[in-house]
Amino acid sequence: MDEKELQKLKVCDIEDLPGPKSKEELEEMKMPFEEYCRKAFDPGNEFLKPEALKGIRWMSTTMYIFTPHSVANLAELGAECIKVEMPRMGDPMRQTSPFNEAYLYPLHDTRPMTGTGYGFLNANVNEYYITLDYHVPESKRVFYDLVKQSDGLTECYRHGTFDRWKQGYRYLMEMNPRFIYVWGGGFGYGPKMFGGSYDILGQAHAGLASITGTHKDMGGHATKCTNWCIDWYSGTQITCAIMAALNYRLKTGLGTMIEFSQVQAATRMCGYTAPLYGRFGIVRQRWGNWDTQLCVHGIIMTGKSDFPDRPNPQEKFEARYVMLSAFQDADFKDLCDIIRSRTSSAAIRPTRRGSAGRPRWKSIKPSRPGPRTRPAPKW
Amino acid sequence: MCDIIWCKKEVGGKVCDTVNYLDPYCFWNWEGKIGCAECGTVYYIHMIQGHMYRGPDEKPGEKADILPLFADKPNDGYSCYLPGIEGRTRPFTCLPREIYLGHADTVKFSIRGKPVRGWRPQPPSAGVAGSFGFFWDIEKLSPEVWAEYQEKIKKGEVKDW
Amino acid sequence: MAKEKRDIEINSRADTLPLMGPEVRPWPVTPPPTPEWVMDNVYAKRKAQEFGKFLEDNLRLDFVFDKPEALQGLRVMCNGIWQISRMFAASLLGEQGAEVVHIEPPGGDPLRQLTPFGREEYMLMDNVAGEPCGLDFLHEFRNAKSITLNLETEDGRAIYKKMATVFDVIIEAWPPGYMDSVGLGYRHLSKLNPRLIYCWVGERGQWGPMKDEVSKHGQWILDPFSAAADSWIHNTGFPQDQCPRGKGGDPMRSGAWLPSYVCGEQAAVNIQAALYWRDGVSGEGQFIEVTAAEALMDILDFDIGWYGFNRSIKARTGAWDPNLNQYEWNPCKDGYMMIGGQTDRLWYRIGMCIERELPEFGRLIHEDPLLKEMGARNSLQGLIKTYSITTKWLRDINRIEAEQKLMEYEIAAGPVLYIDEVAEFPHFKYRPWVNTIETQFYGTVMYSESCAAFQHRTPARVKDIGRPLGHDNGEVYQKFLGIGPLKLRELKAKGVI
């Protein structure tokens, strides 16, 4: 048997099999954890590693941030993504720039003096950009051909628009049963089905705004969480649903339709807000930089900026807030000691009153008898 | 009038005719004296829940507590005072950098000194809705930027942070 | 709803507790619209009856239990304390059908004890042992089982090792290197189970100069440290122009534990991608690390690019958005009203709606040549001008009036709602998004519905919420390790579980 034949018999490489195969790999077990992490994640060499979603092709008939981000997440994981925009108009995000200030990539005739706004950056990474006007009859065939060759699509048009144009799930599922169809928008079927949506609408409508910011009794207003967070956050939630659907399809070969409402996603992150209201009728308010459940655990202003000499006002005036966290007894006591040593007054003492609001770990006595229906199991 | 003060004061035989905008969050509940950006006339206002409870009443000879953030003259070619003009408008205190131009800023070089495609005009070959994809041949398309870039490299102004 | 009058004397908060709760004040207070009403009044108006019927027939929440689960058969072990991000990641997988087991130390996760302002009366007692449980923990403990295990004991570590061989996914949230130092890190477990997907979640990372740390007394760093580390808090909040510093004009954390939720969902995405790669391609598991700080940086809009462009550092702009006009909420008669519409089409529709009642809007806004172009409207002065006049319109009307008026013009507009209003908003209770569930241990609990629940084939679902600490020790240890009741009693006596 010659070398060639021997090679033919091989079905895998010893390197691919689990278990240590060398002294080095044995060493790996002894390596300090940080070093191991650096080696395992190997920053800077991402391109030497395989992509999880290689081979998936996804269409992105989307605009703004929310739905594009759901696709960009797939693209970052290695899927081949195709962004479809209206000819000559493009995604409105291209004309969105902070204070109309920063423009890149001079682009088209409606804004000849400027270019692509910074708002577009980041939401559509690793993608192919094509234009297609669905109003033109000839585009239909192109669209259907793409659907036949793709694994899924995310769209953000007003609900029912794609259906009216005969390119909704009802039509596409019959052309490609493996197709995963995602509609992302504000509300979904129901009384407000045709209501449009934005990040900020999600924050407002879903209750997130009512718990963010300083209370009006303290002079504040309901504050928008920055950076279109609900757009991005719910975009990732769509990706999460897509990933589950892809894993299901791996087993069954069947696609699905996902109807995703970003307003709902904003309510989902409000934690105890809903159960507290449901059981006790308490409407959660905004508490500024306090954490309602941990004390001390919040953001406080210091007397000076870190960079008083920098020209940029953000560094000069705003680099003066710290996140302070000392909610466990020992840490709280240390904090009090530090404050006391810096101030002549000894008024601050780590009394029980001072640490009110911090949870008690050990023995909690119910303030009223619990509904004890059966005795606790004893192992 | 409320939420704006449209100043009709006659100064030097001419009507001031300037709209001073009272931005909603600052003035929603507010009492004090505000100066007109154009003529400096001081008005007393007391605003509750966005409604003018009292005012605007002229307070000649008194000093203004606050200036508007922005004012313009719609009947005079929309000339305006941007935020932060001394003696006219108050500065907007949360600006992203010290030089706030107030108009679109397209730069040739990033803060690392690398060319970015932000300058104008574009060459005619860019066409309508043209896009040069991922390959931007600066040398051919914008020789003057390319030359400037070479200068920067020579001076050592191009860096990777 | 109260049908008879009662005389009630309230001397303390304790007296008010029996006056609340789902038995006394059921949800929803008013019934949601019926499907027939929606058909006639919503779908029909846009001639979308057929499509509406298709959606109702195929996506309604009532049908979720007739459909398969996407991640059925996936076993997920969630190990750690404090971090709500690990629980959210586990919830997302659990809602899709994965079998989730939460491992807590015998003393329980301290999150169980967290309750707003330390008020124990707002914790729920389970009907087994009468132990109180905080609502945040409860709300995120979905479709899961609870076991206890003491990783500080040799036996406990041996048990954990055995568990790792039969699970597909481990979500871990202990301080950096802890699990590794006790010989239970990825490098150890992957030798036993090469198909294992191991995901660590935390605030800033388990390695590197700013990695997660605990204080010298053992206190963890928790949400929102991650948001403090990447300018997220820096650019949330009102500028001191609009609110004085110290009175709301400061950088602001999100009221919700937003960074943790963003971290948790990224973890769930990456776990499922790793799963796809394992089952579809390679058969191998992998090591994943998701930090809240990096998950936030990924969604930091263009802030990093903008700094590179011209040294701009994004500043806070309150309830306005520096990138779009209109796109904000402003005060109105009874709260705040959000209005959005950027493209010319929407911009002029908003304008028409306001101008109808406030002609000044047309004079000052529509006629201004500087506001006629989409991009140019985003300038700071454009925002000041537009929102001053818009608020002049809003100050005379309530949120609901504003919404109805704007809806006539099909504008994306919505009021800033509080949770009681959210729970009663017709659309929300119609689907429903805020829902109630009769839990096994904690009575009727109101919760936010899973966002992936509206699907044709494999909707996510919530089956149960909350679990007393270690309730499933018997079942889980029996099922996965064959440890029977006698042996379990022995382990408990030794402090292992």
Side-chain angles (χ1 to χ4, degrees), chain B residues 7-86:
Chain B
C7 180
K8 305 276 190 190
K9 180 88 177 161
E10 255 194 55
V11 182
K14 247 182 95 183
V15 179
C16 170
D17 203 16
T18 301
V19 184
N20 296 281
Y21 293 90
L22 310 184
D23 44 297
Y25 280 102
C26 180
F27 290 101
W28 184 247
N29 282 304
W30 198 83
E31 186 186 4
K33 286 167 286 181
I34 178 165
C36 171
E38 171 80 7
C39 62
T41 309
V42 175
Y43 294 94
Y44 167 83
I45 57 168
H46 187 181
M47 209 183 260
I48 296 170
Q49 287 285 97
H51 286 270
M52 219 51 113
Y53 174 61
R54 281 177 57 200
D57 303 330
E58 265 185 56
K59 295 276 174 185
E62 293 187 28
K63 246 189 103 199
D65 303 322
I66 203 169
L67 295 167
L69 263 183
F70 175 70
D72 67 359
K73 301 178 66 138
N75 294 325
D76 188 17
Y78 289 92
S79 61
C80 64
Y81 296 109
L82 297 180
I85 295 179
E86 221 181 320

Side-chain angles (χ1 to χ4, degrees), chain C residues 65-267:
Chain C
F65 289 103
D66 303 336
K67 297 178 184 178
E69 295 177 310
L71 299 182
Q72 182 206 333
L74 184 74
R75 287 173 180 171
V76 179
M77 187 151 80
C78 185
N79 170 26
I81 55 173
W82 277 123
Q83 289 289 3
I84 198 98
S85 46
R86 78 178 202 283
M87 300 185 70
F88 186 48
S91 290
L92 288 171
L93 302 175
E95 286 167 355
Q96 295 278 9
E99 182 175 2
V100 178
V101 175
H102 278 281
I103 299 183
E104 293 168 69
D109 182 350
L111 267 182
R112 283 180 182 269
Q113 311 293 337
L114 291 198
T115 180
F117 301 103
R119 292 192 171 173
E120 287 160 26
E121 65 268 34
Y122 299 146
M123 298 167 92
L124 297 191
M125 240 86 59
D126 67 68
N127 55 15
V128 181
E131 286 289 324
C133 182
L135 293 175
D136 248 330
F137 183 89
L138 191 74
H139 191 248
E140 246 6 285
F141 200 103
R142 298 188 170 192
N143 302 356
K145 298 196 168 113
S146 168
I147 63 168
T148 53
L149 186 61
N150 189 349
L151 295 169
E152 291 293 303
T153 60
E154 276 308 318
D155 288 349
R157 289 172 195 172
I159 287 175
Y160 187 79
K161 239 180 216 178
K162 284 184 200 154
M163 296 276 284
T165 59
V166 291
F167 274 77
D168 301 279
V169 177
I170 291 181
I171 303 169
E172 184 238 303
W174 283 98
Y178 169 70
M179 291 306 284
D180 194 82
S181 72
V182 296
L184 301 173
Y186 176 72
R187 57 177 153 175
H188 311 104
L189 301 181
S190 61
K191 300 286 183 289
L192 305 172
N193 178 5
R195 289 171 60 81
L196 180 68
I197 294 163
Y198 190 106
C199 180
W200 183 87
V201 294
E203 290 290 297
R204 295 187 308 222
Q206 45 181 351
W207 54 289
M210 272 179 80
K211 67 175 180 178
D212 285 11
E213 282 167 313
V214 292
S215 78
K216 66 178 175 191
H217 305 297
Q219 184 195 303
W220 291 33
I221 65 164
L222 295 175
D223 189 309
F225 269 94
S226 47
D230 52 21
S231 93
W232 195 271
I233 288 172
H234 166 89
N235 64 46
T236 300
F238 282 92
Q240 65 276 34
D241 250 328
Q242 299 184 331
C243 273
R245 211 192 272 282
K247 286 191 168 179
D250 304 277
M252 193 61 54
R253 51 166 295 170
S254 172
W257 282 341
L258 180 142
S260 293
Y261 278 82
V262 172
C263 174
E265 62 175 9
Q266 271 293 349

Side-chain angles (χ1 to χ4, degrees), chain A residues 133-166:
Chain A
D133 187 345
Y134 311 119
H135 303 85
V136 181
E138 285 86 344
S139 73
K140 282 282 173 288
R141 192 57 191 255
V142 178
F143 185 84
Y144 293 144
D145 287 349
L146 271 172
V147 167
K148 288 231 175 230
Q149 302 172 37
S150 301
D151 298 278
L153 164 152
T154 307
E155 63 116 331
C156 71
Y157 286 69
R158 214 172 274 252
H159 224 347
T161 306
F162 264 31
D163 190 76
R164 203 169 63 235
W165 292 346
K166 295 203 172 18

Side-chain angles (χ1 to χ4, degrees), chain A residues 164-175:
Chain A
R164 203 169 63 235
W165 292 346
K166 295 203 172 18
Q167 53 193 48
Y169 180 62
R170 287 200 288 164
Y171 301 91
L172 304 188
M173 74 191 287
E174 291 172 352
M175 293 181 196

Side-chain angles (χ1 to χ4, degrees), chain A residues 3-244:
Chain A
E3 185 66 20
K4 215 171 179 182
E5 267 177 287
L6 189 73
Q7 286 298 325
K8 265 190 191 164
L9 289 173
K10 245 176 88 168
V11 292
C12 68
D13 200 278
I14 187 166
E15 290 300 319
D16 297 337
L17 295 170
K21 285 163 290 278
S22 63
K23 189 163 165 294
E24 286 73 30
E25 287 191 27
L26 279 171
E27 288 297 314
E28 180 190 291
M29 303 301 278
K30 297 181 202 154
M31 196 182 274
F33 181 61
E34 284 218 32
E35 212 174 294
Y36 171 73
C37 283
R38 200 163 277 130
K39 184 168 164 288
F41 296 120
D42 203 12
N45 289 323
E46 292 81 6
F47 288 89
L48 301 179
K49 296 183 176 180
E51 294 168 310
L53 299 187
K54 184 175 155 233
I56 295 288
R57 184 179 293 138
W58 208 268
M59 293 163 66
S60 176
T61 56
T62 58
M63 284 177 280
Y64 300 101
I65 301 288
F66 162 47
T67 38
H69 183 55
S70 73
V71 181
N73 276 327
L74 299 174
E76 285 176 355
L77 290 164
E80 180 185 61
C81 299
I82 301 164
K83 166 108 175 171
V84 186
E85 290 172 86
M86 265 292 276
R88 290 171 299 282
M89 253 168 70
D91 186 333
M93 233 42 213
R94 289 180 187 273
Q95 284 137 77
T96 294
S97 188
F99 293 143
N100 189 32
E101 277 231 309
Y103 281 99
L104 282 172
Y105 301 90
L107 188 71
H108 58 77
D109 53 349
T110 56
R111 289 187 58 75
M113 299 306 274
T114 52
T116 299
Y118 254 90
F120 190 72
L121 205 74
N122 247 17
N124 302 281
V125 295
N126 293 5
E127 291 175 23
Y128 293 109
Y129 299 89
I130 64 167
T131 52
L132 190 64
D133 187 345
Y134 311 119
H135 303 85
V136 181
E138 285 86 344
S139 73
K140 282 282 173 288
R141 192 57 191 255
V142 178
F143 185 84
Y144 293 144
D145 287 349
L146 271 172
V147 167
K148 288 231 175 230
Q149 302 172 37
S150 301
D151 298 278
L153 164 152
T154 307
E155 63 116 331
C156 71
Y157 286 69
R158 214 172 274 252
H159 224 347
T161 306
F162 264 31
D163 190 76
R164 203 169 63 235
W165 292 346
K166 295 203 172 18
Q167 53 193 48
Y169 180 62
R170 287 200 288 164
Y171 301 91
L172 304 188
M173 74 191 287
E174 291 172 352
M175 293 181 196
N176 181 357
R178 290 169 59 81
F179 206 65
I180 297 169
Y181 184 99
V182 183
W183 176 85
F187 294 92
Y189 77 82
K192 212 176 167 177
M193 169 147 120
F194 301 114
S197 176
Y198 292 109
D199 160 71
I200 195 173
L201 182 115
Q203 296 195 28
H205 226 123
L208 180 60
S210 72
I211 62 167
T212 300
T214 316
H215 199 270
K216 69 171 187 295
D217 293 353
M218 300 173 188
H221 296 278
T223 304
K224 183 170 82 75
C225 291
T226 189
N227 293 84
W228 304 318
C229 64
I230 294 305
D231 268 2
W232 296 100
Y233 153 86
S234 29
T236 306
Q237 286 232 7
I238 291 188
T239 318
C240 193
I242 291 174
M243 285 313 309

Side-chain angles (χ1 to χ4, degrees), chain A residues 96 111 226 255 279-280 293, chain C residues 20 136 235 342 373 442:
Chain A
T96 294
R111 289 187 58 75
T226 189
R279 182 61 70 92
F280 300 108
Q293 307 188 78
Chain C
M20 301 185 277
D136 248 330
N235 64 46
Q342 177 208 14
E373 198 200 354
Y442 296 95

